[in-house]
Coordinates of all heavy atoms in Angstrom, one line a residue:
S1 N -8.3 3.7 9.3 CA -9.4 3.8 10.1 C -9.1 4.7 11.3 O -8.0 5.0 11.5 CB -9.8 2.4 10.7 OG -8.7 1.9 11.4
S2 N -10.2 5.2 11.9 CA -10.0 6.1 13.0 C -9.6 5.3 14.3 O -9.6 4.1 14.4 CB -11.3 6.8 13.3 OG -12.3 5.9 13.6
G3 N -9.1 6.1 15.3 CA -8.7 5.5 16.5 C -7.2 5.4 16.6 O -6.6 4.8 15.7
P4 N -6.6 5.9 17.7 CA -5.2 5.9 17.8 C -4.7 4.5 18.1 O -5.3 3.7 18.8 CB -4.9 6.8 19.0 CG -6.2 6.7 19.8 CD -7.3 6.6 18.8
R5 N -3.5 4.1 17.6 CA -2.9 2.9 17.9 C -1.4 3.1 17.9 O -0.9 3.9 17.0 CB -3.3 1.8 16.9 CG -3.1 2.1 15.5 CD -3.7 1.0 14.6 NE -3.1 -0.3 14.9 CZ -2.0 -0.7 14.2 NH1 -1.5 0.0 13.3 NH2 -1.5 -1.9 14.5
P6 N -0.6 2.5 18.7 CA 0.8 2.7 18.7 C 1.5 2.2 17.4 O 1.1 1.2 16.8 CB 1.3 1.8 19.9 CG 0.3 0.7 20.0 CD -1.0 1.4 19.7
M7 N 2.4 3.0 16.9 CA 3.0 2.8 15.6 C 4.4 2.3 15.8 O 5.2 2.8 16.6 CB 2.9 4.0 14.7 CG 1.5 4.2 14.2 SD 0.8 2.8 13.3 CE 2.1 2.7 12.0
N8 N 4.9 1.4 14.9 CA 6.2 1.0 14.8 C 6.9 1.9 13.8 O 6.5 1.9 12.6 CB 6.3 -0.5 14.3 CG 7.7 -1.0 14.2 OD1 8.6 -0.2 14.1 ND2 7.8 -2.3 14.1
P9 N 7.9 2.7 14.1 CA 8.5 3.6 13.2 C 9.1 2.9 12.0 O 9.4 3.6 10.9 CB 9.6 4.3 14.0 CG 9.9 3.4 15.2 CD 8.5 2.7 15.4
A10 N 9.4 1.6 12.0 CA 9.9 0.9 10.9 C 8.9 0.4 9.9 O 9.2 -0.2 8.9 CB 10.7 -0.4 11.4
V11 N 7.6 0.7 10.2 CA 6.5 0.2 9.3 C 5.8 1.4 8.7 O 5.4 2.4 9.4 CB 5.5 -0.6 10.1 CG1 4.3 -0.9 9.3 CG2 6.1 -1.8 10.7
D12 N 5.7 1.4 7.4 CA 5.0 2.4 6.6 C 3.5 2.1 6.8 O 3.0 1.0 6.3 CB 5.4 2.4 5.2 CG 4.7 3.4 4.3 OD1 3.9 4.2 4.9 OD2 5.0 3.4 3.1
P13 N 2.7 3.0 7.4 CA 1.2 2.7 7.5 C 0.5 2.9 6.2 O -0.7 2.6 6.1 CB 0.8 3.8 8.5 CG 1.7 4.9 8.3 CD 3.1 4.3 8.0
G14 N 1.2 3.3 5.1 CA 0.5 3.4 3.8 C 0.1 4.8 3.5 O -0.2 5.6 4.4
T15 N 0.1 5.2 2.3 CA -0.2 6.5 1.8 C -1.4 6.4 0.8 O -1.4 5.6 -0.1 CB 1.0 7.2 1.1 OG1 2.1 7.3 2.0 CG2 0.6 8.6 0.6
H16 N -2.4 7.2 1.1 CA -3.6 7.2 0.2 C -3.2 7.6 -1.2 O -2.5 8.6 -1.4 CB -4.7 8.1 0.8 CG -5.9 8.2 -0.1 ND1 -6.8 7.1 -0.3 CD2 -6.3 9.2 -0.9 CE1 -7.7 7.5 -1.1 NE2 -7.5 8.8 -1.5
L17 N -3.7 6.9 -2.2 CA -3.5 7.3 -3.6 C -4.9 7.2 -4.3 O -5.8 6.6 -3.8 CB -2.6 6.3 -4.3 CG -1.1 6.2 -3.9 CD1 -0.4 5.2 -4.8 CD2 -0.5 7.6 -4.1
S18 N -5.0 7.9 -5.4 CA -6.2 7.9 -6.2 C -5.9 7.8 -7.7 O -4.7 8.0 -8.1 CB -7.1 9.1 -5.9 OG -6.4 10.3 -6.2
G19 N -6.9 7.6 -8.5 CA -6.7 7.5 -10.0 C -6.6 6.1 -10.4 O -6.4 5.1 -9.7
A20 N -6.7 5.9 -11.8 CA -6.6 4.6 -12.4 C -5.2 4.0 -12.4 O -4.3 4.7 -12.7 CB -7.2 4.7 -13.8
A21 N -5.1 2.8 -12.0 CA -3.8 2.1 -12.1 C -3.4 1.8 -13.5 O -4.3 1.3 -14.3 CB -3.8 0.8 -11.3
P22 N -2.2 2.1 -14.0 CA -1.9 1.9 -15.4 C -2.0 0.4 -15.7 O -1.5 -0.5 -14.9 CB -0.4 2.3 -15.4 CG -0.3 3.3 -14.3 CD -1.2 2.8 -13.2
G23 N -2.5 0.1 -16.9 CA -2.7 -1.3 -17.3 C -1.4 -1.9 -17.8 O -0.4 -1.1 -18.2
F24 N -1.3 -3.2 -17.8 CA -0.1 -3.9 -18.4 C -0.4 -5.3 -18.6 O -1.4 -5.8 -18.1 CB 1.1 -3.8 -17.4 CG 0.8 -4.3 -16.0 CD1 0.9 -5.7 -15.8 CD2 0.6 -3.5 -15.0 CE1 0.6 -6.2 -14.5 CE2 0.3 -4.0 -13.7 CZ 0.3 -5.3 -13.5
S25 N 0.4 -6.0 -19.4 CA 0.3 -7.4 -19.7 C 1.6 -8.0 -19.7 O 2.5 -7.6 -20.4 CB -0.4 -7.7 -21.0 OG -0.5 -9.1 -21.3
L26 N 1.9 -9.0 -18.7 CA 3.2 -9.6 -18.6 C 3.0 -11.2 -18.4 O 1.9 -11.7 -18.5 CB 3.9 -9.1 -17.4 CG 4.3 -7.6 -17.5 CD1 4.7 -7.1 -16.1 CD2 5.4 -7.4 -18.5
T27 N 4.1 -11.9 -18.2 CA 4.1 -13.3 -18.2 C 4.3 -13.8 -16.7 O 5.3 -13.3 -16.1 CB 5.1 -13.9 -19.1 OG1 4.8 -13.4 -20.4 CG2 5.0 -15.4 -19.1
D28 N 3.5 -14.8 -16.2 CA 3.7 -15.2 -14.8 C 4.7 -16.4 -14.8 O 5.4 -16.8 -15.8 CB 2.4 -15.6 -14.2 CG 1.8 -16.9 -14.7 OD1 2.5 -17.6 -15.5 OD2 0.6 -17.2 -14.4
Q29 N 4.9 -16.9 -13.6 CA 5.9 -17.9 -13.3 C 5.6 -19.3 -14.0 O 6.5 -20.1 -14.1 CB 6.1 -18.2 -11.8 CG 4.9 -18.8 -11.1 CD 4.0 -17.7 -10.5 OE1 3.9 -16.6 -11.0 NE2 3.3 -18.0 -9.4

């Protein structure tokens, strides 16, 4: 979002990605 805010250098603010996420089928806990 817009608007400056102080950043913690130890935190990744995230990187924009695009495209379809690869599908998969696995087993849960």
Side-chain angles (χ1 to χ4, degrees):
S1 61
S2 60
R5 54 187 299 268
M7 286 303 301
N8 180 344
V11 175
D12 181 1
T15 302
H16 176 72
L17 294 179
S18 61
F24 57 80
S25 179
L26 295 168
T27 303
D28 72 9
Q29 65 267 32

